[in-house]
Amino acid sequence: MSADILSSHAVDEKNRERTIIKTSIIGIMANVFLAAFKAVVGLLSHSIAIILDSVNNLSDAGSSLITIIGTKLAKKQPDRKHPWGHGRAEYLSSMIISVIILYAGITSLVESVKKVIAPETPDYSTAAIIIVSVAVVVKILLGTFVKRTGKRVNSDSLVNSGTDALMDSIISASTLAAAIIFLVWHISLEAWLGAVISVVIVKSGIEMLRETISHLLGQRVSVETARKVRECIMSFPQVHGVYDLIFHDYGPEKFNCSGHIEVPDTLSAREIDQLQRQIAIELYVRHGIILTALSVYTFSVTDDRDKAVRSEIYSIAMSVEHVLEAHGFYLDEEQKRIQFDIIVSFDAPDRDAVYNDVVNRVREKYPEYELYCTLDTDFSLSEQEE
């Protein structure tokens, strides 16, 4: 890997970090400003909805602070205990934000229920209406900006914060609607609105927490990422197939990858070595993904018997329902041995039964050969749509 390539990616990561921190600081300033005004208005007007909205703004400011801390921790250099770096710290910060949102929702739900049991009459003023209206506009602008930036730099923490801000704008708009209803018809919906707001916040917190935990557990890479990697490797003319792609997620923008490639058996060891090195460089330059291992399957370009058996076995395997792919074929005529791999869909009611069906059909066709068939897992979902 050339120094210029590594330097370029280091600059990209630095710019990403700077963008996340800058966006988070803007979020902190906006939320503290809104929280202060809403708290004053809520206390003066005895509005539980506005007070809860103020508390939610403070939690948003805390979320932005956690995003900054998580981003800084994620940029720590690898050490003896963490040779792959600290990139997953961003997922931890995102999880903490989710827990804060969930806690805020549960707390506000409890307070709202108390107000339903023992209601207080709100006292709205013109200033209160104006401030809440301004808050709606500010939250829409802030949420759109933060979420868009989060998607651009692939930051779950920013996306969560932006989504939360957009939800806050809906909540503030609902508070404004309740105030107008009270002023026009003298019907107080404060406590009930607070309960609805709380349920929305809790739901949002649960969804964000589920997504973050999924990242930490090791969720499947996106179809788009797997397809891009496969296309990149297949762009080399010597490569006739890409299989068994496995991705390891060490934080946003920090993927490692391994896999198998199928090449002609006429390539020398030196040519295969050169090819692997070129693929590793190209994959890192295009997508910033580190290729940790690339195993090789070969296929015969001169043996007609080899080609015929391979074609027939692949046809047999693919004729069985739920088989997504057959690859890794190897024929040893001296030892009378056939090897190949199959990928069976997770949608199959019984993947082992599908595997046994394929093996039995191939064994019936080639009874004189010893069969070695591997049931592979489709780690990257490269052949299916989600």
Side-chain angles (χ1 to χ4, degrees):
M1 202 73 68
S2 75
D4 289 340
I5 294 172
L6 293 174
S7 176
S8 173
H9 279 276
V11 171
D12 290 341
E13 290 182 3
K14 192 69 177 177
N15 289 337
R16 177 179 180 273
E17 177 189 1
R18 191 179 296 113
T19 299
I20 293 174
I21 293 175
K22 180 181 177 181
T23 304
S24 298
I25 290 174
I26 293 173
I28 290 173
M29 294 172 62
N31 280 302
V32 169
F33 174 79
L34 288 174
F37 272 92
K38 287 181 182 179
V40 172
V41 172
L43 291 171
L44 292 177
S45 62
H46 306 291
S47 170
I48 181 63
I50 294 179
I51 293 174
L52 290 177
D53 210 1
S54 171
V55 173
N56 197 36
N57 282 131
L58 281 179
S59 72
D60 290 346
S63 298
S64 296
L65 180 61
I66 292 169
T67 299
I68 293 175
I69 295 172
T71 302
K72 285 293 186 181
L73 289 174
K75 291 304 297 177
K76 285 182 62 179
Q77 291 297 313
D79 53 39
R80 189 180 299 275
K81 287 187 176 181
H82 310 95
W84 293 111
H86 300 77
R88 287 175 179 165
E90 283 197 42
Y91 295 148
L92 290 175
S93 67
S94 181
M95 182 164 60
I96 293 172
I97 293 171
S98 304
V99 171
I100 290 174
I101 293 172
L102 186 58
Y103 175 77
I106 293 173
T107 303
S108 64
L109 181 59
V110 172
E111 293 300 317
S112 297
V113 171
K114 289 180 180 178
K115 292 296 181 181
V116 170
I117 297 172
E120 291 183 5
T121 303
D123 181 21
Y124 295 108
S125 64
T126 303
I129 300 298
I130 294 174
I131 288 176
V132 174
S133 301
V134 171
V136 173
V137 176
V138 171
K139 274 295 187 178
I140 290 175
L141 295 175
L142 179 65
T144 302
F145 168 68
V146 173
K147 187 173 182 178
R148 184 182 297 144
T149 304
K151 288 183 176 180
R152 180 165 58 84
V153 299
N154 193 22
S155 168
D156 283 349
S157 296
L158 282 185
V159 171
N160 285 354
S161 295
T163 301
D164 191 36
L166 289 173
M167 289 183 60
D168 288 346
S169 68
I170 298 174
I171 292 170
S172 297
S174 302
T175 304
L176 182 62
I180 294 173
I181 290 172
F182 179 78
L183 292 174
V184 175
W185 292 288
H186 302 290
I187 299 174
S188 178
L189 300 176
E190 280 291 309
W192 295 102
L193 177 59
V196 173
I197 291 172
S198 302
V199 171
V200 173
I201 294 173
V202 169
K203 181 176 180 293
S204 175
I206 291 174
E207 290 175 351
M208 293 178 187
L209 187 60
R210 184 187 296 121
E211 177 67 19
T212 305
I213 290 175
S214 181
H215 275 296
L216 289 172
L217 289 176
Q219 71 177 14
R220 188 186 297 276
V221 72
S222 70
V223 176
E224 182 183 5
T225 299
R227 185 176 293 123
K228 284 181 178 179
V229 169
R230 175 166 292 202
E231 289 174 354
C232 176
I233 298 175
M234 285 295 295
S235 65
F236 289 83
Q238 304 97 316
V239 177
H240 290 251
V242 180
Y243 312 103
D244 307 326
L245 286 176
I246 300 176
F247 294 83
H248 298 281
D249 183 351
Y250 292 99
E253 307 292 327
K254 295 182 184 297
F255 275 116
N256 288 359
C257 174
S258 62
H260 285 84
I261 57 172
E262 189 174 51
V263 298
D265 60 0
T266 53
L267 292 183
S268 67
R270 182 179 180 80
E271 289 172 327
I272 291 175
D273 177 57
Q274 272 187 324
L275 177 62
Q276 290 176 323
R277 293 174 189 271
Q278 290 169 353
I279 290 173
I281 293 174
E282 190 70 15
L283 196 57
Y284 191 74
V285 169
R286 286 198 202 177
H287 307 295
I289 294 176
I290 297 174
L291 185 65
T292 54
L294 195 62
S295 299
V296 173
Y297 294 135
T298 62
F299 67 93
S300 176
V301 295
T302 57
D303 189 332
D304 292 336
R305 166 69 175 168
D306 186 289
K307 288 188 285 186
V309 173
R310 179 180 63 174
S311 177
E312 188 161 37
I313 286 180
Y314 283 1
S315 296
I316 292 172
M318 295 305 297
S319 68
V320 177
E321 187 179 8
H322 299 300
V323 174
L324 301 177
E325 186 177 81
H327 61 265
F329 174 81
Y330 178 77
L331 174 65
D332 187 334
E333 286 288 7
E334 290 185 7
Q335 300 292 328
K336 289 297 180 181
R337 187 173 73 243
I338 293 175
Q339 292 180 235
F340 63 98
D341 301 348
I342 59 171
I343 294 178
V344 178
S345 171
F346 287 115
D347 295 332
D350 187 339
R351 297 177 73 234
D352 288 334
V354 175
Y355 167 82
N356 290 328
D357 189 11
V358 172
V359 171
N360 290 334
R361 293 190 189 195
V362 174
R363 184 175 286 123
E364 183 180 348
K365 183 68 177 179
Y366 297 96
E368 71 276 18
Y369 288 87
E370 189 174 2
L371 293 182
Y372 292 88
C373 179
T374 301
L375 176 59
D376 269 352
T377 299
D378 184 13
F379 291 102
S380 62
L381 201 66
S382 55
E383 297 298 324
Q384 290 178 291
E385 293 297 332
E386 292 176 306

